[in-house]
Amino acid sequence: MSAISVGQAVVLGAVEGVTEFLPVSSTGHLKIVEGLMGIPVDDDAVVGFSAVIQVGAIAAVLVYFFKDIVRIVSAWGRGLANRDERYHHDYKFAWWVIYATIPIVAVGLAAKPLIEGPLASLWVVAASLLVGSGVMWAADQMGRHKRGEDDTSLKDAMLVGSSQILALLFPGFSRSGATMSTALILDLDRVAATRLSFFLGIPALTGAGLYELKDALGTGAGAAPLVVGTVVSFVVAYASIAWLLKFVAKHSFNAFVVYRIVVGVLLFGLLATGALSS
C-alpha cells in the first residue's frame, strides 16, 4: 500500500505548486496539510514524496525562465571555451549559482537525520512561520530596493544562497522567504530579489528531489501518486510564478507577512488543543 493515495497526491501537488515560490513555506504547508489528512509527516515515504514533487515546481521554473536559463548556460559554456567571454555577467552568474548551492548541499547531507527527525515537527513549523514573518517584514522595511538583477555580485549570491539553510533546518521559515528577505536586506529591488530566489532554488531543489527519489519509491510512496503529485505541482507552480512576479512589481511583502502570522497562530492553537498532532 502506498503511504499516499492518488487523491492525496493531487491535493499535496497543488499545495506544493502554490507555495513553493511564494514566501510562505511550502514545506510548512505540506506538513500542515499532511497532518490534517492524517498522513504521518515524519514517515520516510512522505518526506521523500514531498521532496520529489518539488521537481514539478522546479520544472515550472525551467520552462518559465527557459530563455534566461539558455542565455546564462550558453554564456557559461562560451566562457569555459573562450577566456575573453569570462567578463560577461551571465558567465559569472552561472558560477555564482554553483558556488551558492554548496553550503545548502553540505548542511543538507550533514543534518539529514535532524531534518527528517526532530526538526520535522509541526511545532517547529509554527514557530518558524512566525519568526520568518518578522524577518521578512524587517527586510522589506530595511531594504532600499535600489539594485537590479544586473547589479548582483558573488557576495549577494553566496549570502542569498546560504540563507536557504534556514528553511532547510526550520521548515516553516520558507526558502523563498529566506532568500527574498536576504536579497532585500542587500538592497535588491523586489523583482530582482524574487528572480534571484528562483534561480538559486533550481539546483538545490532539483538535487533534493532526485536524491530522495530512490528512497521515496523504496519506502512506500507509490509511482502513481509521485507522478500525479509532480504533474499537478508543475501546472500550479507555473501559474504561481507568473502571478508572483506581477505582484511583487507593484506590492510589498506585507500580505505574505500577515498570512504567515495567521497560519502560525492557528497552527499553534491546533497543536496546543490537540486538534492536530505534531
Side-chain angles (χ1 to χ4, degrees):
M1 292 291 291
S2 172
I4 297 174
S5 70
V6 172
Q8 291 170 329
V10 172
V11 175
L12 294 175
V15 171
E16 164 64 24
V18 170
T19 60
E20 180 59 58
F21 301 110
L22 301 186
V24 297
S25 175
S26 62
T27 302
H29 278 72
L30 283 173
K31 291 185 181 298
I32 292 170
V33 174
E34 287 164 358
L36 292 173
M37 292 194 297
I39 300 172
V41 298
D42 58 350
D43 183 277
D44 288 343
V46 176
V47 173
F49 175 88
S50 299
V52 171
I53 63 173
Q54 287 180 333
V55 175
I58 290 300
V61 174
L62 295 175
V63 173
Y64 193 90
F65 292 107
F66 181 74
K67 291 182 179 179
D68 294 296
I69 293 170
V70 169
R71 188 190 75 243
I72 293 169
V73 173
S74 297
W76 184 66
R78 290 195 303 271
L80 291 177
N82 186 346
R83 188 182 185 88
D84 293 337
E85 295 288 337
R86 297 176 188 176
Y87 70 90
H88 200 288
H89 183 270
D90 286 339
Y91 170 79
K92 297 176 183 177
F93 185 77
W95 276 115
W96 297 345
V97 171
I98 294 171
Y99 297 151
T101 303
I102 295 174
I104 191 173
V105 171
V107 173
L109 293 175
K112 192 172 187 287
L114 284 175
I115 296 167
E116 297 181 354
L119 294 178
S121 169
L122 287 177
W123 287 106
V124 176
V125 172
S128 299
L129 278 167
L130 296 180
V131 173
S133 298
V135 172
M136 187 181 302
W137 179 84
D140 208 11
Q141 300 302 310
M142 292 168 54
R144 289 178 288 178
H145 315 294
K146 67 177 184 178
R147 300 172 58 207
E149 188 175 345
D150 291 338
D151 298 320
T152 54
S153 65
L154 173 59
K155 176 185 175 182
D156 296 326
M158 291 302 297
L159 289 173
V160 174
S162 296
S163 71
Q164 296 178 108
I165 294 172
L166 288 172
L168 182 67
L169 297 178
F170 305 108
F173 202 97
S174 170
R175 189 201 65 81
S176 295
T179 52
M180 291 178 190
S181 295
T182 303
L184 290 174
I185 291 173
L186 294 170
D187 293 331
L188 270 69
D189 62 49
R190 295 187 183 98
V191 173
T194 302
R195 285 174 58 89
L196 183 59
S197 175
F198 286 145
F199 289 125
L200 288 175
I202 292 173
L205 294 178
T206 301
L210 296 177
Y211 180 80
E212 293 285 356
L213 180 58
K214 179 178 177 294
D215 291 339
L217 290 173
T219 53
L226 280 172
V227 171
V228 170
T230 303
V231 170
V232 172
S233 172
F234 168 82
V235 174
V236 177
Y238 189 92
S240 180
I241 293 167
W243 176 83
L244 180 61
L245 287 171
K246 292 180 181 179
F247 180 85
V248 298
K250 299 180 180 179
H251 302 86
S252 72
F253 288 111
N254 288 343
F256 298 117
V257 171
V258 172
Y259 173 79
R260 290 170 57 103
I261 292 174
V262 171
V263 174
V265 171
L266 287 175
L267 182 55
F268 264 124
L270 290 172
L271 292 170
T273 59
L276 188 62
S277 172
S278 63

